[in-house]
Amino acid sequence: MTASAAQALFTSLSTGSGIDTASLVSSLVQAQFAAKTDALTQKSTAISAQISGTSTLMSTVSQFAAALKTLATGGTLQTQPVSSNNNVVTASALSGATLAGLSSSVSVSQLATGQSSRTTVPVTTRTTALGTGTLTLTLGTATYSSDGTAMTDFHAADGDPITVNIVAGATSLDGIAAAINAKNAGVTASVVTDADGSAYLSLKGATGSAQAFTLTATNDPSGKLAQLNVGVGATGTALTSGAQNAKLTVDGVAVERGSNAISDLVAGVKLQLTGTSNTAVALTSTTPTDALKSSITDFVDTYNQVLKTLTEQLDPQTGPLRGDAAAQSLLRTLRALTTKPILTNVAAGTPTTIGEIGIKTNRDGTLSVDDATVARALTNSPDAVEAMFAFSTTSTNGLTAALNSISLSTSSTLYGLGASAKRYNDQASAVAKAQDDIATQSDAMSTRLTQQFASMNAKVAAYKSTQSFLKNQIDAWNKPD
């Protein structure tokens, strides 16, 4: 800017040296720093490619591990329990369970139920005010009349009863139900209206004989809360069901449970009781052979995609990470995956590597599926194949654990690509600072040269003025009279 203004001034006055100082200064500055600028630009481009490469690889490996974990935890690769009568018992596998060879029988004579009650005296509407006061909710065990409509005895459980305060502005059945529900005591209240709009309070407890309850108006100035009482001798309510345990026999052993969802009777299996029957229900298992075959193929396809991305980054000629030790280590680790034992403490002759179940390595490092070996492994060792694809939060066995370990090592900021990324980012910051320094030095040199040329032009202009004066004098002297 300064150089251009000076040059324009000198040109308009037809003074100075006549040299284009702006162009000259720009050329001199560019020549001074061109080599350093080009070198820094090339280095910045290379580092950007390295940063991008490490990010791509870490993301690719992380997504590979996450996808396999999702597949393993989805349940489709796990041997599933099969019930011979879903109208009595349904069964599902617990995560990480080994259910091959499952054989069990279950008989259900009684389902678990929760105590339910309803008021028998209708309230005009659900918003009709009853009165302020206090209701006391007590949990425990109870016995009931033969028809199940009345409580004949009650024993409170350990622990303090629950106090439900009914305050002004919330004394309707809707307000009372809301106050009971706010206690989260295991008893749920709701309001039911009939065709005439009359309202009734319905109470339901959790399943199990230990979840019986009473409701008592312990402070009732208006005398209207007592009609909600539930318990021995209560006249304003009727029971629609009592609290009782589920009764069942598992492999000849009679047991009771407080819920119809049971996970502690058959190892690795969650039972859901849906009905009763005098006939035992058989529990067996089935191996997801087709799903495991498909997963082997999907694993190979995904592995090959990851390998392609990695080899592109490590290409000896064009790969931005061709000299990166962490990327090279990742490649070696992936290539060793087919021969690394991923199952331990198994019987002799059991496959322990993915190579032994039909995943083979080609000459170029990619993987392929040997269908005959896969079929043989699924026939002879289905448990081992399933275990290789199983997920566990505690075990180091299986492909999921192996890939998770690889992913963690890859992203490590101490020795993995995470450390490489940090190093490249530090280098990028250093290059950016060097480029800023060159820009500052260039501006300083440009300013200095502009000032020097401006001074030179001023001196040349003075010399030209003196020259012109002397020439005029000489011409005057030589002019004939």
Side-chain angles (χ1 to χ4, degrees):
M1 188 82 174
T2 303
S4 298
Q7 181 63 38
L9 178 61
F10 291 135
T11 301
S12 65
L13 296 175
S14 298
T15 60
S17 64
I19 299 172
D20 185 352
T21 58
S23 296
L24 180 58
V25 168
S26 176
S27 297
L28 290 173
V29 171
Q30 184 177 5
Q32 176 68 23
F33 296 102
K36 290 184 179 179
T37 299
D38 289 345
L40 289 175
T41 299
Q42 292 175 8
K43 191 171 184 179
S44 177
T45 301
I47 293 173
S48 294
Q50 290 170 323
I51 292 173
S52 177
T54 55
S55 176
T56 297
L57 288 182
M58 286 191 291
S59 175
T60 299
V61 173
S62 175
Q63 289 174 6
F64 188 14
L68 187 60
K69 177 182 176 180
T70 299
L71 183 65
T73 55
T76 58
L77 304 183
Q78 185 178 6
T79 293
Q80 296 296 318
V82 179
S83 169
S84 64
N85 189 347
N86 286 332
N87 292 324
V88 178
V89 180
T90 62
S92 57
L94 297 176
S95 179
T98 301
L99 301 179
L102 173 66
S103 178
S104 188
S105 66
V106 178
S107 299
V108 182
S109 59
Q110 176 177 290
L111 292 177
T113 59
Q115 179 179 306
S116 298
S117 69
R118 65 173 181 81
T119 54
T120 57
V121 179
V123 177
T124 306
T125 69
R126 63 191 304 152
T127 58
T128 300
L130 297 184
T132 60
T134 303
L135 296 173
T136 299
L137 183 64
T138 306
L139 300 180
T141 58
T143 55
Y144 305 95
S145 61
S146 57
D147 61 1
T149 60
M151 185 182 294
T152 58
D153 194 17
F154 180 80
H155 295 280
D158 293 337
D160 296 330
I162 296 93
T163 299
V164 182
N165 293 316
I166 309 303
V167 299
T171 62
S172 66
L173 288 186
D174 277 340
I176 293 170
I180 293 173
N181 292 334
K183 294 297 181 177
N184 292 316
V187 176
T188 303
S190 60
V191 179
V192 181
T193 56
D194 61 17
D196 298 327
S198 298
Y200 301 83
L201 182 67
S202 173
L203 298 176
K204 295 182 179 180
T207 62
S209 59
Q211 299 300 315
F213 63 87
T214 62
L215 185 70
T216 306
T218 49
N219 179 25
D220 186 14
S222 68
K224 295 181 179 180
L225 294 180
Q227 63 184 300
L228 308 179
N229 285 355
V230 177
V232 179
T235 58
T237 59
L239 298 180
T240 55
S241 68
Q244 64 181 20
N245 286 339
K247 295 182 178 180
L248 63 161
T249 301
V250 179
D251 295 331
V253 180
V255 295
E256 292 189 20
R257 291 293 184 271
S259 171
N260 292 315
I262 305 170
S263 300
D264 63 347
L265 287 178
V266 179
V269 178
K270 178 180 179 180
L271 302 177
Q272 181 66 50
L273 308 185
T274 56
T276 61
S277 174
N278 294 325
T279 304
V281 176
L283 294 180
T284 55
S285 62
T286 177
T287 302
T289 302
D290 291 340
L292 288 170
K293 284 181 181 178
S294 178
S295 296
I296 290 173
T297 301
D298 290 343
F299 172 81
V300 168
D301 290 342
T302 306
Y303 175 97
N304 289 339
Q305 292 173 9
V306 174
L307 183 65
K308 180 176 182 293
T309 301
L310 180 55
T311 52
E312 287 174 351
Q313 294 294 327
L314 288 171
D315 185 279
Q317 301 298 324
T318 60
L321 299 179
R322 56 186 177 273
D324 189 280
Q328 294 284 359
S329 176
L330 173 60
L331 179 61
R332 290 191 297 271
T333 302
L334 284 177
R335 284 178 171 170
L337 197 55
T338 56
T339 57
K340 175 185 177 181
I342 58 174
L343 291 184
T344 58
N345 300 322
V346 296
T350 300
T352 60
T353 70
I354 60 175
E356 292 173 331
I357 65 170
I359 299 176
K360 64 181 184 180
T361 304
N362 303 317
R363 289 186 177 182
D364 62 356
T366 60
L367 301 183
S368 59
V369 178
D370 184 333
D371 293 329
T373 304
V374 170
R376 187 164 54 253
L378 287 172
T379 299
N380 299 331
S381 305
D383 297 351
V385 178
E386 182 179 337
M388 287 185 183
F389 283 91
F391 172 76
S392 172
T393 57
T394 58
S395 175
T396 56
N397 278 350
L399 268 177
T400 302
L403 276 182
N404 187 55
S405 176
I406 292 173
S407 179
L408 289 175
S409 296
T410 299
S411 60
S412 171
T413 56
L414 295 177
Y415 52 82
L417 285 172
S420 297
K422 183 178 183 301
R423 184 172 67 255
Y424 296 141
N425 278 302
D426 289 344
Q427 292 174 0
S429 297
V431 169
K433 184 179 183 304
Q435 289 174 322
D436 289 341
D437 290 344
I438 286 180
T440 300
Q441 294 169 13
S442 297
D443 290 343
M445 182 177 179
S446 179
T447 299
R448 186 178 70 256
L449 290 178
T450 298
Q451 292 173 345
Q452 290 175 347
F453 282 123
S455 175
M456 177 199 71
N457 271 319
K459 292 179 180 179
V460 170
Y463 295 152
K464 285 185 175 181
S465 177
T466 301
Q467 179 186 36
S468 177
F469 171 76
L470 292 175
K471 183 177 181 297
N472 290 335
Q473 285 294 99
I474 292 171
D475 288 344
W477 292 338
N478 292 331
K479 184 178 181 180
D481 292 336

